[in-house]
Amino acid sequence: AFNAAFERTCLSRYLNTQLNPDEWQCTMVRAAMAGLPLSLDMAGKALGLENGKMTEGRALIKLFSKPDRSGKKHNAVSDPDKWKTFIEYNRRDVEVENAVRKMTDVEVTDFERQLYAIDQNINDRGVKLDMTLVRNAIRMSDIYTGKLSAEAQKLTGMDNPNSVAQIKKWLLDVTGNEVTSLSKKTVPAIIAGSDNDTVDRLLAIRQEMGKTSVKKYEAMQSCVCRDDRVRGLLQFFGSHTGRWAGRLVQVQNLPQNHLKDLDYARRIVRDGDLVTLETLFGNALDTLSQLIRTAFVAEEGKTFIVADFSAIEARVISWLAGEQWRLDVFRTTGKIYEASAAKMYHCSPEEITKTDPRRQKGKIAELALGYGGGVGALLKMGGEKMGLSEGEMKEIVLNWRSQSPAIVGLWSSFEKSAAIAVHDTKTSYNGIRFGMCGTSMAVTLPSGRNLYYPNMRIADRLKFGKTASTLVFDSQNQTTKKWGSEDTYGGKLTENIVQAIARDCLAVTITRLEEKGYPIVFHVHDEIIAEVPDDGTKTLDEVLEIFRTPISWAEGLPLKGDGYVTKYYLKD
């Protein structure tokens, strides 16, 4: 089935027995592996199906599968014509699903089939929520937001202080200056340039109320099961690289926590004491936001073991490129920021302390420049906030690239390999194979899994005032959600391949942990959260040993894990 998890879950409920995911294959996952959208409608359009998914479906599902406001349920008797259309809609869905399956000529390895079943078991297992914390957080957020809204109304006289249009008009009337944007990035600059206390306070209120992350508590409440566990948090093969995507609560983008006394703040919220929370921690919405992770809790008599790979992408790209000095660092101290800074500034790594400004420059270079980025990438990583001038950032880019020639060479070599493959000639570089599979380019990873680029071709593009031959493939635009062409280049191909290999390392580690009796309840990026008995039979040391265990298809890749044990999830 397309999105087999839905059918399997519904049928499990209807039959009152848990259906085994080993017995299912998901056409949606198959489409995702082929580089197609996760939507049946969009997948059909991308494949050029003449008879695609019927657009009437959403309205018909609402009509026949949900009671209306009066509680009435519609059926074949009440709406015979629409019922016929509904039957046709369902029939068409099956036809489109079959067509998508036949047209997605992708090789699904035995390991990926096994991994899909493990993923479904993790989603079925779910993780417990502290619903006392969740419900109190929602109530306290509503009260606090109401107080802020009332204060904003009193300050400005606006009917709706949440209205961007009304705030812009009020700012124009008060200051005489037209404000074009009230985004998170622009508001601090407006406050800094203001000499009006009322304006400052209104914008400060807006910043406080902009903590949309507290809405995750509402998401938790809406999808929690009767046993206080939330399930279905992860989407297998949710991105082009094969990485998982978040669903429902979106665990992939949870706010970090930096509160000094996280446990005490948590107890205050569980007690529902908003006055004490404000008194001791100030901004209540920010505090509630920082406590979101802690809503995920271990069952009574159990605890969480949380572990993740240390600098996994930096390790993979160093291994893939054969950048020896980096591999030496990862096989010894692991202090890549210090080592990178030392290389850039021609000094000993021991000279670079945690407070040394050069370490911060080494860190930002490592995080921003691995995939062909330049000054623009440093700016996105906060180069200006660090006080770096454009000249200093240019120097960092040049220094970093000069010290990592194998990685720089990787970018151009991957781009050349892809261009050769487009002309229907198979080629490889550093163990990564490129070739065409129909109209798609297949990039074979060390694990044996393929990354597919639909309709990969070379087209002329205007760049920097000149026409240049560019690699182009078809994909779904992440902003518009429309299917269309996307340019790529060596740095981007490197990023895709590195992240895909990192994903495969996590996948192997997940299977090993499950086999060793460490039940994973969810995972985030390169981090796993396992729920184990708190009797000491399962240990963090054993988990970290599994994380650093070599992988057969990645000989010489130095892996390392870090972790901690906790009763509730947090960012350690």
Side-chain angles (χ1 to χ4, degrees):
F2 198 92
N3 189 16
F6 178 78
E7 264 86 354
R8 185 178 60 82
T9 302
C10 291
L11 287 171
S12 293
R13 175 68 180 271
Y14 180 73
L15 298 170
N16 197 31
T17 185
Q18 193 66 24
L19 297 178
N20 187 351
D22 281 327
E23 299 172 355
W24 290 75
Q25 291 185 28
C26 183
T27 310
M28 183 175 78
V29 168
R30 189 182 181 89
M33 288 179 171
L36 298 173
L38 291 167
S39 147
L40 181 61
D41 180 37
M42 289 298 299
K45 288 177 179 176
L47 290 170
L49 297 181
E50 290 185 12
N51 293 317
K53 185 178 177 73
M54 290 171 59
T55 57
E56 300 93 331
R58 187 182 296 270
L60 292 170
I61 289 172
K62 187 174 181 180
L63 179 67
F64 291 114
S65 301
K66 298 181 182 180
D68 62 22
R69 290 183 179 179
S70 67
K72 177 184 177 184
K73 292 182 179 180
H74 293 258
N75 53 39
V77 175
S78 58
D79 292 279
D81 291 336
K82 288 183 178 179
W83 182 258
K84 288 179 182 177
T85 308
F86 193 39
I87 291 171
E88 179 56 29
Y89 159 75
N90 282 281
R91 181 183 290 115
R92 179 77 63 82
D93 259 19
V94 176
E95 291 170 354
V96 175
E97 288 181 30
N98 283 333
V100 169
R101 179 175 177 79
K102 290 174 183 176
M103 295 177 72
T104 48
D105 183 22
V106 299
E107 182 183 352
V108 183
T109 65
D110 290 340
F111 177 78
E112 288 298 316
R113 294 187 194 279
Q114 177 194 3
L115 186 64
Y116 171 74
I118 291 172
D119 164 82
Q120 294 297 286
N121 286 326
I122 291 171
N123 272 307
D124 289 352
R125 185 179 296 139
V127 59
K128 187 175 180 180
L129 292 175
D130 184 340
M131 290 308 295
T132 300
L133 178 78
V134 170
R135 284 188 286 266
N136 281 344
I138 293 170
R139 183 182 61 81
M140 293 163 80
S141 173
D142 288 344
I143 294 170
Y144 191 75
T145 302
K147 286 167 59 179
L148 290 177
S149 185
E151 183 185 350
Q153 282 181 313
K154 187 175 180 180
L155 281 172
T156 64
M158 281 188 280
D159 294 330
N160 180 11
N162 284 323
S163 166
V164 172
Q166 287 188 32
I167 294 174
K168 286 181 178 179
K169 182 179 183 305
W170 181 82
L171 288 171
L172 178 62
D173 294 341
V174 171
T175 67
N177 297 320
E178 186 174 358
V179 175
T180 57
S181 172
L182 287 171
S183 68
K184 289 181 181 179
K185 292 182 179 180
T186 59
V187 167
I190 299 171
I191 293 175
S194 167
D195 58 0
N196 185 307
D197 291 343
T198 305
V199 169
D200 292 350
R201 179 56 189 155
L202 174 72
L203 293 176
I205 288 172
R206 177 167 177 80
Q207 283 181 309
E208 284 195 60
M209 293 174 68
K211 280 287 177 184
T212 54
S213 53
V214 296
K215 292 190 179 296
K216 287 187 181 291
Y217 289 116
E218 295 175 357
M220 291 174 180
Q221 190 175 51
S222 70
C223 60
V224 68
C225 298
R226 281 178 286 188
D227 59 357
D228 283 352
R229 294 182 80 88
V230 60
R231 296 173 168 85
L233 293 176
L234 301 167
Q235 173 59 60
F236 187 76
F237 228 98
S239 74
H240 179 229
T241 60
R243 284 186 160 182
W244 283 262
R247 292 291 183 265
L248 303 175
V249 183
Q250 292 291 351
V251 293
Q252 308 285 10
N253 63 353
L254 296 172
Q256 292 191 8
N257 50 264
H258 302 285
L259 295 174
K260 288 184 179 179
D261 199 338
L262 190 70
D263 197 58
Y264 187 43
R266 196 174 180 281
R267 289 204 306 271
I268 293 171
V269 174
R270 292 192 91 253
D271 290 340
D273 191 348
L274 179 57
V275 173
T276 301
L277 191 74
E278 285 185 75
T279 303
L280 296 181
F281 294 93
N283 185 338
L285 294 182
D286 180 65
T287 305
L288 292 173
S289 176
Q290 292 195 52
L291 290 174
I292 286 171
R293 288 173 185 261
T294 75
F296 297 102
V297 295
E299 291 277 5
E300 189 70 29
K302 295 186 177 181
T303 192
F304 286 153
I305 293 179
V306 182
D308 69 350
F309 280 115
S310 173
I312 182 66
E313 288 188 36
R315 290 169 184 265
V316 169
I317 196 171
S318 302
W319 170 75
L320 196 56
E323 199 72 78
Q324 192 57 49
W325 71 265
R326 290 172 167 275
L327 292 172
D328 291 341
V329 170
F330 288 126
R331 287 170 183 147
T332 53
T333 66
K335 294 182 177 180
I336 191 62
Y337 300 154
E338 290 84 350
S340 184
K343 282 279 186 182
M344 290 162 61
Y345 294 101
H346 309 290
C347 66
S348 166
E350 287 73 28
E351 289 182 36
I352 310 291
T353 64
K354 278 211 167 184
T355 56
D356 192 322
R358 291 176 296 181
R359 182 186 184 276
Q360 193 62 20
K361 292 175 183 178
K363 179 178 180 178
I364 195 174
E366 287 299 310
L367 296 175
L369 305 181
Y371 303 126
V375 172
L378 290 175
L379 285 169
K380 284 184 179 179
M381 290 299 297
E384 277 186 327
K385 291 180 181 178
M386 285 176 55
L388 296 173
S389 66
E390 185 174 345
E392 286 177 305
M393 285 188 274
K394 284 181 179 178
E395 184 181 5
I396 287 173
V397 173
L398 291 173
N399 285 344
W400 189 90
R401 290 184 178 183
S402 69
Q403 297 303 327
S404 302
I407 290 176
V408 173
L410 197 66
W411 308 334
S412 57
S413 296
F414 279 164
E415 186 166 340
K416 289 174 185 175
S417 297
I420 292 170
V422 169
H423 291 105
D424 213 16
T425 301
K426 293 182 178 180
T427 186
S428 67
Y429 184 79
N430 283 17
I432 305 299
R433 301 197 305 275
F434 298 77
M436 295 303 290
C437 180
T439 60
S440 294
M441 183 179 76
V443 178
T444 306
L445 304 169
S447 65
R449 177 170 72 89
N450 285 337
L451 270 182
Y452 291 94
Y453 292 81
N455 196 21
M456 181 66 95
R457 58 206 183 273
I458 296 175
D460 288 337
R461 291 284 192 267
L462 189 64
K463 293 184 177 181
F464 309 111
K466 296 181 180 180
T467 301
S469 296
T470 305
L471 289 163
V472 181
F473 68 103
D474 290 349
S475 73
Q476 187 174 23
N477 186 289
Q478 294 305 303
T479 304
T480 65
K481 302 301 178 185
K482 292 184 178 179
W483 183 256
S485 62
E486 180 179 332
D487 296 359
T488 193
Y489 54 92
K492 189 67 178 175
L493 288 169
T494 303
E495 181 179 32
N496 289 168
I497 292 167
V498 168
Q499 290 185 350
I501 294 172
R503 176 269 190 192
D504 289 348
C505 290
L506 179 67
V508 170
T509 303
I510 285 173
T511 61
R512 289 172 172 175
L513 287 167
E514 289 279 334
E515 287 167 1
K516 285 283 188 178
Y518 287 87
I520 296 167
V521 289
F522 67 103
H523 48 92
V524 181
H525 303 305
D526 303 311
E527 177 184 74
I528 65 92
I529 299 89
E531 186 179 45
V532 301
D534 58 8
D535 58 7
T537 56
K538 299 296 179 183
T539 66
L540 175 61
D541 286 344
E542 187 176 15
V543 169
L544 297 185
E545 179 61 33
I546 292 169
F547 265 81
R548 61 176 167 261
T549 301
I551 294 173
S552 60
W553 46 258
E555 185 179 351
L557 172 59
L559 296 172
K560 181 179 179 294
D562 293 311
Y564 54 95
V565 178
T566 178
K567 282 290 186 179
Y568 53 77
Y569 185 48
L570 67 152
K571 187 68 175 177
D572 189 44

